[in-house]
Amino acid sequence: MSLEAKFAKLTVDDASSVVDTVKSEGVEKSGLASNISVLVARCASKDEDEALSALTTVKALAEGVPEAQVFTKECLGACLENATHKSIAVKKASQETAFAIVDNVQPFAMKALLPTIFAELPVEKKWAIRELALQCIGRFRDVAPRQLGDALPLIVPEVTACMWDTKKQVKVAATDAMKSSMDVIGNKDIEHMTDKILTAITKPKEVPEIMHTMAGVTFVQSVESAALAIVVPLLLRGLREKNTATKRQSAVIIDNMSKLVDNPLDAAPFLPLLLPALETNAESIADPEAREVTQRAVAQLNRLKTLADKQASVRGDVSKLDELFKKNLNAEEASGGKLAVINYACTIASCLMDLKFMEDLQWKKNLKTILAPYFDTDLDQAIENVRVEAEKMLEIPDDDDEEDDAEELCNCQFTLAYGTKILLHNTKMKLLRGRNYGLLGPNDCGKTTLMRAIANNQVEGFPDVTQVRTVFVEADIQGEQSHLSCVDYVSADEKIQAMGVSKERVREVLGTVGFTSDGKAKPDHAVSTLSGGWRMKLALARAMLQQADILLLDEPTNHLGEHRFGTFSPFFLAMFFLILFDSFFPTDVINVAWVKTYLNSLDNVTSIIVSHDSGLLNDCCTNIMSFDNLKLRTFKGNLDEYVKAHPAARAYFTLTSSKMKFKFPQPGPIEGVRSKGKALMKMSRCTFTYPGNETPTLFDITVQVSLSSRVACIGENGAGKSTMIKLLVGEIAPQVGDVWKHPNARIAYVAQHAFHHIEQHLNKTPNEYIRWRFANGGEDKESLVKVTMQFTEEELAAQKKPFELQIIDEASGKIQKVKKVVAELVGGRKLNKSKEYEYEVKYAGSTTDSGEYLPAKTLKKMGWEKACKAVDLKLAQLAGMYVRPLSTKNVEEHLEGCGLAREFGTHYRMSALSGGQKVKVVLAAAMWMQPHIVILDEPTNYLDRESLGALAGAIEEFDGGVIIISHNNEFVSKLCPETWVMDAGHLETKGDADWMLKQDTKIEDQQQLTEMTDAAGNKVEIKQAKKKLSKKEEKALVKKIKGKIKNGEPLDTDEEEMAFEKDLL
């Protein structure tokens, strides 16, 4: 009996015979394909027997004949509709049959069932139908998890709408379906958040708190369509919240996640939802900073949209696949069952493409069973032809691909993170032998981190060090090795030990770069004694000995001056740079020209160079690698050629092109200083020798600094520049000569090795660090650590000795001589009649402050000079607190003024910051107290060109004095008309040495503050500086006071002070 006849009189007992017939004859010859409409109609029948017999048959076919699923899927809608049948048996059979169709579908064909399921979800449908349809979606988690994840952009909107249903059964089924969907998102960064995201869908009030939690998530894994489908509804709710903070957090999450989208087409379905909401917020949010964050997210999504538009043709396209299958199966005119099978095959193939299942065996396994009943051609070849063409659709042309015959040292794809920040994501890196690659990117993008990861063998896919010898050259010395001599330090390197290099060869190579027993840097002295320049030379010498295939150079010219040039013969270079030291030629000091010649001679070595020296990148680089949206882009050519093609990169190297802006706080007035040319710091005939050295480092140095100073301090490495500055700021004390600082002057000093300021506070955020540092009434907790502020044994002994003082008895006017010991200075200070400062003291044995003051000269004899300086420093620092209280908001704004965005300044711990960001923290901390003098030791070493340009702009607008130690001529020539040239410890002044003396302009009177508001919101009155009276005004005031005294009238505070000053009382 044919199936057509059986279907006409179908009973429950016929199910097994139908299955046997289809198995033996096939879906086409048996008549199943042509009669499937009959079976669908009987499944939907309201007659109990008809419905039960058809549902039982369909269930048996779904479970027993896989190739029949192309047609049995047509019965799914009827099964769902019969969930409301009056017969309990039919209801149960409908559910079981629907589940059988879902459970036995070919996983890559599950999308073929979705239109039918979605058609049963509208609110107009009865609740039992919708409940069963939602239960079918939930079953895909176990049947086709990967494929369910791929379909989530389609599923989530449909299921989400049902989670708000008033019918409890529908709401529960929708929630369960959503939970099942969340189980397959495949993103470890957010899978722990799924319960909270689910809560946000049904409880909008929870959105702000959930957004706050999600804002703390570090996104590392590639973001695909499944993860986006789950998160986007939450993000949309966040963008539509009234709270600005929630809107900002949503924008930050969108910006971060979108950068990790490898395939822009994954994001394409969500862009029409997110972009309009973001653009609305970017125009309407009142907070400028939140608006700027939102605008960044808009720009990022627009970039994704542009990429998605370009790649629209590479996604699995059913229409193109339909043409391919018809062509290769010789079925251009297919209809009926053949057409249904081809359409089903297209659905499977498109899902294989979306999930990147492109192996030939995968395609044959999933397609051949479906196609075999209808086509007798060579199916293996036909499927392979379609697969090959489909693979071509997925190819995205690589713009960076370079045709070159050079040996390939590396061709890898990897992701790189630093702390909680993603630096590179699924990026490609290809290196060819003999090429010099300049590595470009803004500060904090991860250039040094990338090179360190390569050197430590932490980059996925990068050749092992046993295959490609890689050497990282940087000037930093590890603390545990700082006590070693230069020779021992190089010899201690594991790679050099493995090569069996002798100490004699190490000493020989060190000699070629200037480490000699009679030179400035001695091979047997500890590396801790080396300046930054000599440390770089030491690192270069160590690299030479390792015979590298790849050299990683981090700012190789930073510390190397251009004042003296060595001479090298071509023969020496050719042999020396290949580390074949068969001939030895004495050389002069290593310098920039030396490094350039060295790099250009390495025909068989590849270099990756991080440098802000545009000359080096122009003269040496064959290629440029740049950081761009978490990817590495490679460009063939040197820096000039790259900048022509990418003009925005000019900001990395040209100070005037910097778009970044720094803003330093202005210093304000100093009591007693009315001219910008008046000296605030002086060194007079100072000579200094480091302990253990016989020859002084500095000889007879005399300098002075004022508010108008703009000084460039230059000199070759080891000449004594940093040592002189340390003397000037009081970090060390001279053996001969005097150093003086105005008692009320505030000094900011950012040292060459700046990180030591913060290395004990890495668990704090920058904001917390600055508030901790200045929390003690405005006193800088780090300022009293200096050697010059610590009491010597002689001073401590003098403090304990009784000192004879003359005390005037107020009642009798008699002078008494008493011996007293000062226990401490309590912090008060005032000017006496001689215009000298007196300091409030507490005597030994006294339980209360005496209220008595002693002159600075007397206290110096008693061993308290440094304590007087500490009082001066504290009062000067406290004066800087009057303009800005030490509040979180004020510190946040201050950090932004020094180039550190509030995202990193307030929300990131310093342990997670990059080197460039840490230095901005140090700079901001130094500038917090509104210094009158700023001293920067080698700022070009730790700031990129964009930040350096911003720094130059801030210095130009700064009203205080500036001293800059630098090798960067462009930087200092722009800012400094005066130059201090240090040569072997001797100082020579060049340029306009008298420039600051000519700046005898009076400091403009600034508006006096009458009160300040502290961090707690309390109003504090500020004592005003007294106006200086003319002789005529003073004479009139004295006359008035005498009259009041004679008449017994009370005097006000100012009159009383004048009376004491003129001995009228």
Side-chain angles (χ1 to χ4, degrees):
M1 183 184 294
S2 67
L3 285 186
E4 184 178 2
K6 283 187 178 181
F7 286 169
K9 299 179 180 180
L10 193 64
T11 65
V12 173
D13 298 331
D14 291 333
S16 59
S17 65
V18 171
V19 169
D20 292 338
T21 300
V22 175
K23 279 185 177 180
S24 61
E25 298 180 14
V27 293
E28 172 65 14
K29 292 180 180 179
S30 66
L32 176 64
S34 57
N35 290 284
I36 194 64
S37 59
V38 177
L39 203 55
V40 171
R42 294 182 73 89
C43 285
S45 175
K46 295 303 178 183
D47 181 83
E48 182 177 7
D49 291 336
E50 278 191 10
L52 281 175
S53 60
L55 290 169
T56 304
T57 301
V58 171
K59 180 175 181 290
L61 286 169
E63 293 173 342
V65 190
E67 58 270 27
Q69 63 184 273
V70 178
F71 306 101
T72 54
K73 73 178 181 64
E74 301 297 329
C75 301
L76 179 60
C79 296
L80 297 175
E81 288 286 346
N82 256 340
T84 59
H85 202 283
K86 62 183 179 181
S87 166
I88 295 176
V90 173
K91 286 182 182 179
K92 183 179 179 183
S94 295
Q95 183 187 59
E96 291 176 350
T97 305
F99 289 167
I101 293 172
V102 170
D103 292 349
N104 292 280
V105 72
Q106 215 271 20
F108 289 97
M110 60 85 60
K111 281 187 181 180
L113 302 182
L114 294 182
T116 302
I117 294 175
F118 292 163
E120 305 300 334
L121 290 179
V123 69
E124 296 80 15
K125 295 286 184 178
K126 294 182 178 180
W127 69 263
I129 298 174
R130 301 170 69 205
E131 180 187 27
L132 181 56
L134 289 165
Q135 289 171 345
C136 288
I137 292 175
R139 298 181 77 86
F140 286 129
R141 177 189 61 183
D142 300 319
V143 175
R146 292 284 301 273
Q147 295 78 2
L148 174 60
D150 182 52
L152 283 183
L154 303 173
I155 292 172
V156 169
E158 300 287 345
V159 176
T160 302
C162 296
M163 291 177 68
W164 288 83
D165 202 85
T166 54
K167 199 68 178 178
K168 181 180 178 182
Q169 292 89 336
V170 175
K171 191 173 183 178
V172 170
T175 302
D176 290 341
M178 185 63 80
K179 285 181 179 178
S180 297
S181 299
M182 288 182 172
D183 288 344
V184 301
I185 59 176
N187 190 298
K188 294 181 179 179
D189 297 335
I190 60 173
E191 60 185 13
H192 68 286
M193 291 282 299
T194 53
D195 289 342
K196 293 183 178 180
I197 294 172
L198 197 64
T199 301
I201 295 174
T202 54
K203 297 180 181 178
K205 290 183 179 180
E206 299 289 329
V207 170
E209 182 60 30
I210 294 170
M211 290 302 302
H212 184 74
T213 304
M214 193 155 184
V217 174
T218 302
F219 294 99
V220 178
Q221 191 174 339
S222 294
V223 175
E224 298 176 342
S225 58
L228 287 171
I230 296 298
V231 174
V232 164
L234 173 63
L235 296 176
L236 281 171
R237 284 191 180 276
L239 291 173
R240 292 165 183 163
E241 283 286 316
K242 292 182 179 180
N243 190 318
T244 298
T246 304
K247 291 180 178 180
R248 181 188 181 279
Q249 286 172 334
S250 300
V252 169
I253 295 168
I254 291 170
D255 188 31
N256 291 339
M257 289 189 72
S258 61
K259 289 176 182 176
L260 300 181
V261 175
D262 284 337
N263 187 349
L265 294 176
D266 282 336
F270 310 103
L271 296 179
L273 300 173
L274 293 174
L275 261 175
L278 273 174
E279 288 169 344
T280 299
N281 287 356
E283 294 176 359
S284 62
I285 291 177
D287 183 356
E289 192 272 341
R291 195 165 60 244
E292 183 182 345
V293 168
T294 306
Q295 287 166 349
R296 284 202 303 268
V298 170
Q300 178 64 18
L301 288 196
N302 279 324
R303 184 188 72 85
L304 266 182
K305 185 176 183 299
T306 301
L307 294 173
D309 291 342
K310 288 180 181 178
Q311 298 178 25
S313 62
V314 306
R315 195 79 173 181
D317 190 330
V318 173
S319 62
K320 289 190 175 183
L321 290 170
D322 181 71
E323 294 174 7
L324 287 172
F325 274 112
K326 287 180 178 178
K327 178 182 176 181
N328 286 277
L329 293 171
N330 298 318
E332 283 85 353
E333 305 298 326
S335 61
K338 282 190 175 183
L339 184 60
V341 168
I342 289 176
N343 290 337
Y344 201 70
C346 288
T347 301
I348 294 173
S350 67
C351 192
L352 286 165
M353 293 173 68
D354 291 347
L355 294 174
K356 305 296 188 297
F357 280 73
M358 298 306 296
E359 295 295 327
D360 53 355
L361 292 177
Q362 293 169 333
W363 278 57
K364 290 173 185 176
K365 174 185 175 183
N366 288 288
L367 289 168
K368 193 171 182 179
T369 305
I370 300 297
L371 296 171
Y374 273 90
F375 302 98
D376 53 8
T377 57
D378 186 350
L379 286 180
D380 286 350
Q381 188 59 49
I383 293 171
E384 177 62 11
N385 291 344
V386 175
R387 186 195 68 80
V388 170
E389 291 301 316
E391 200 164 34
K392 291 178 182 177
M393 294 183 197
L394 294 175
E395 289 178 1
I396 301 173
D398 190 352
D399 296 333
D400 301 331
D401 216 7
E402 179 184 349
E403 293 183 8
D404 207 307
D405 295 331
E407 178 189 351
E408 190 177 274
L409 292 178
C410 162
N411 193 351
C412 59
Q413 185 169 339
F414 62 95
T415 292
L416 180 70
Y418 181 87
T420 60
K421 183 180 180 182
I422 302 301
L423 304 174
L424 293 168
H425 182 72
N426 275 5
T427 190
K428 294 179 181 178
M429 182 169 64
K430 180 179 178 181
L431 301 177
L432 302 178
R433 186 177 290 280
R435 302 289 185 268
N436 289 336
Y437 295 86
L439 189 58
L440 297 191
N443 231 21
D444 315 326
C445 69
K447 300 182 291 293
T448 300
T449 304
L450 171 60
M451 295 209 297
R452 187 171 283 113
I454 293 173
N456 294 337
N457 216 25
Q458 294 172 333
V459 172
E460 184 181 356
F462 197 90
D464 190 83
V465 290
T466 57
Q467 300 172 291
V468 177
R469 187 175 288 129
T470 305
V471 179
F472 187 25
V473 182
E474 60 176 345
D476 287 345
I477 304 294
Q478 298 299 319
E480 62 271 17
Q481 295 181 316
S482 60
H483 66 285
L484 298 176
S485 71
C486 296
V487 172
D488 290 340
Y489 175 77
V490 175
S491 299
D493 187 277
E494 294 179 358
K495 295 177 182 177
I496 289 179
Q497 288 181 349
M499 294 171 66
V501 179
S502 66
K503 286 192 176 183
E504 289 72 21
R505 181 54 58 88
V506 171
R507 189 180 297 274
E508 181 181 349
V509 175
L510 287 175
T512 65
V513 296
F515 288 84
T516 58
S517 56
D518 57 351
K520 293 176 182 175
K522 298 174 174 57
D524 295 312
H525 278 197
V527 293
S528 59
T529 64
L530 300 178
S531 67
W534 283 103
R535 291 185 182 196
M536 180 55 74
K537 296 171 190 176
L538 185 68
L540 285 169
R542 183 173 60 175
M544 293 173 191
L545 284 163
Q546 294 183 40
Q547 303 178 11
D549 293 306
I550 297 177
L551 272 180
L552 307 172
L553 297 149
D554 188 10
E555 300 289 2
T557 61
N558 253 359
H559 303 274
L560 303 178
E562 300 187 42
H563 316 301
R564 187 177 298 175
F565 295 85
T567 56
F568 307 89
S569 71
F571 172 75
F572 171 75
L573 288 171
M575 301 300 288
F576 180 70
F577 293 136
L578 291 174
I579 326 299
L580 301 177
F581 295 100
D582 296 327
S583 300
F584 172 74
F585 290 79
T587 64
D588 203 347
V589 183
I590 294 183
N591 46 50
V592 176
W594 191 94
V595 173
K596 292 178 182 178
T597 309
Y598 171 36
L599 291 174
N600 289 329
S601 71
L602 302 176
D603 297 332
N604 208 36
V605 177
T606 296
S607 299
I608 301 178
I609 308 164
V610 171
S611 179
H612 297 120
D613 185 342
S614 55
L616 178 72
L617 298 181
N618 265 328
D619 295 342
C620 299
C621 289
T622 59
N623 301 75
I624 298 294
M625 277 197 303
S626 61
F627 281 70
D628 178 26
N629 279 302
L630 305 185
K631 303 291 182 186
L632 281 177
R633 311 292 183 191
T634 304
F635 176 87
K636 191 171 184 178
N638 67 4
L639 178 64
D640 279 348
E641 293 166 336
Y642 178 80
V643 170
K644 287 178 185 177
H646 305 84
R650 191 179 303 277
Y652 301 152
F653 303 94
T654 307
L655 299 181
T656 55
S657 296
S658 176
K659 296 178 182 178
M660 186 183 292
K661 301 294 180 186
F662 285 6
K663 184 180 180 181
F664 290 163
Q666 297 301 340
I670 307 178
E671 184 182 354
V673 177
R674 304 295 295 173
S675 167
K676 293 189 75 172
K678 183 174 181 179
L680 299 182
M681 304 177 77
K682 292 180 182 179
M683 285 175 59
S684 178
R685 307 186 70 83
C686 290
T687 297
F688 176 78
T689 307
Y690 278 107
N693 288 359
E694 297 179 0
T695 305
T697 302
L698 299 177
F699 299 87
D700 197 28
I701 303 295
T702 299
V703 294
Q704 66 178 27
V705 186
S706 75
L707 284 171
S708 62
S709 292
R710 291 290 189 277
V711 181
C713 184
I714 62 174
E716 65 182 32
N717 299 311
K721 304 183 297 296
S722 296
T723 301
M724 181 183 72
I725 295 302
K726 288 178 180 178
L727 276 179
L728 187 62
V729 300
E731 289 205 351
I732 54 178
Q735 287 86 9
V736 178
D738 296 314
V739 178
W740 173 86
K741 178 181 79 69
H742 192 287
N744 296 326
R746 297 184 292 274
I747 313 299
Y749 173 46
V750 180
Q752 183 175 4
H753 306 291
F755 295 162
H756 76 274
H757 293 284
I758 61 173
E759 59 188 10
Q760 302 300 321
H761 308 281
L762 296 179
N763 62 335
K764 295 182 176 73
T765 67
N767 198 310
E768 290 170 343
Y769 166 67
I770 290 178
R771 286 187 285 117
W772 165 86
R773 181 167 165 177
F774 297 100
N776 189 18
E779 184 178 9
D780 185 353
K781 293 179 181 177
E782 295 190 1
S783 62
L784 299 179
V785 183
K786 298 175 182 176
V787 172
T788 53
M789 300 298 282
Q790 306 299 314
F791 293 122
T792 63
E793 292 183 5
E794 293 79 5
E795 288 169 331
L796 290 172
Q799 292 170 11
K800 295 175 182 178
K801 291 181 180 179
F803 191 84
E804 187 176 273
L805 302 171
Q806 292 184 347
I807 305 296
I808 300 176
D809 187 280
E810 293 184 4
S812 63
K814 293 183 180 180
I815 299 176
Q816 297 179 346
K817 293 184 178 181
V818 295
K819 289 188 175 183
K820 290 192 175 185
V821 174
V822 172
E824 63 176 317
L825 272 62
V826 295
R829 187 186 71 180
K830 68 178 183 178
L831 278 172
N832 60 21
K833 295 178 183 179
S834 303
K835 304 297 182 182
E836 295 177 347
Y837 280 121
E838 294 184 348
Y839 297 84
E840 188 177 4
V841 300
K842 180 179 180 180
Y843 293 117
S846 174
T847 57
T848 60
D849 297 344
S850 66
E852 295 187 27
Y853 289 78
L854 292 179
K857 291 180 179 178
T858 302
L859 288 168
K860 182 177 180 180
K861 295 176 183 177
M862 299 175 73
W864 291 98
E865 181 183 17
K866 290 174 182 174
C868 293
K869 290 182 178 179
V871 172
D872 293 338
L873 181 63
K874 183 174 182 178
L875 293 175
Q877 292 170 347
L878 184 60
M881 291 289 288
Y882 285 152
V883 178
R884 295 175 307 170
L886 190 66
S887 65
T888 301
K889 183 178 180 181
N890 284 340
V891 174
E892 190 174 78
E893 291 174 353
H894 176 70
L895 285 164
E896 284 188 313
C898 293
L900 191 67
R902 68 179 63 186
E903 196 75 26
F904 300 103
T906 304
H907 305 292
Y908 277 65
R909 289 185 174 181
M910 290 191 288
S911 58
L913 299 184
S914 70
Q917 289 171 326
K918 287 177 182 175
V919 171
K920 289 174 184 175
V921 175
V922 175
L923 181 63
M927 297 299 297
W928 172 253
M929 300 308 298
Q930 300 167 266
H932 299 100
I933 306 293
V934 178
I935 302 173
L936 304 172
D937 193 349
E938 296 286 8
T940 55
N941 284 357
Y942 44 70
L943 293 177
D944 65 6
R945 278 299 176 115
E946 190 172 14
S947 299
L948 206 56
L951 176 61
I955 290 174
E956 285 180 330
E957 297 176 4
F958 182 60
D959 285 341
V962 179
I963 302 174
I964 302 169
I965 301 176
S966 180
H967 289 116
N968 189 316
N969 183 62
E970 180 189 2
F971 183 68
V972 296
S973 63
K974 174 179 174 152
L975 299 170
C976 304
E978 182 184 355
T979 305
W980 296 346
V981 181
M982 185 66 70
D983 185 16
H986 297 274
L987 182 68
E988 179 184 359
T989 302
K990 289 188 177 182
D992 190 357
D994 296 326
W995 178 76
M996 73 174 184
L997 299 178
K998 297 174 186 175
Q999 300 296 308
D1000 201 20
T1001 55
K1002 299 295 182 182
I1003 298 175
E1004 295 180 4
D1005 289 334
Q1006 300 189 18
Q1007 184 177 356
Q1008 293 282 323
L1009 295 171
T1010 58
E1011 64 181 18
M1012 65 167 279
T1013 304
D1014 64 17
N1018 303 309
K1019 300 283 187 182
V1020 181
E1021 289 189 3
I1022 300 174
K1023 187 177 180 181
Q1024 302 297 302
K1026 290 184 293 183
K1027 179 183 177 184
K1028 188 174 182 180
L1029 301 177
S1030 66
K1031 288 186 177 181
K1032 185 176 180 181
E1033 290 171 330
E1034 185 178 303
K1035 188 175 181 180
L1037 180 60
V1038 169
K1039 185 177 179 181
K1040 179 182 178 183
I1041 293 171
K1042 285 181 178 178
K1044 282 191 171 184
I1045 294 173
K1046 183 177 180 181
N1047 297 327
E1049 297 176 14
L1051 304 177
D1052 64 27
T1053 304
D1054 290 340
E1055 290 171 341
E1056 189 174 12
E1057 285 186 11
M1058 176 64 78
F1060 278 116
E1061 186 177 333
K1062 299 296 182 180
D1063 289 328
L1064 302 178
L1065 291 175

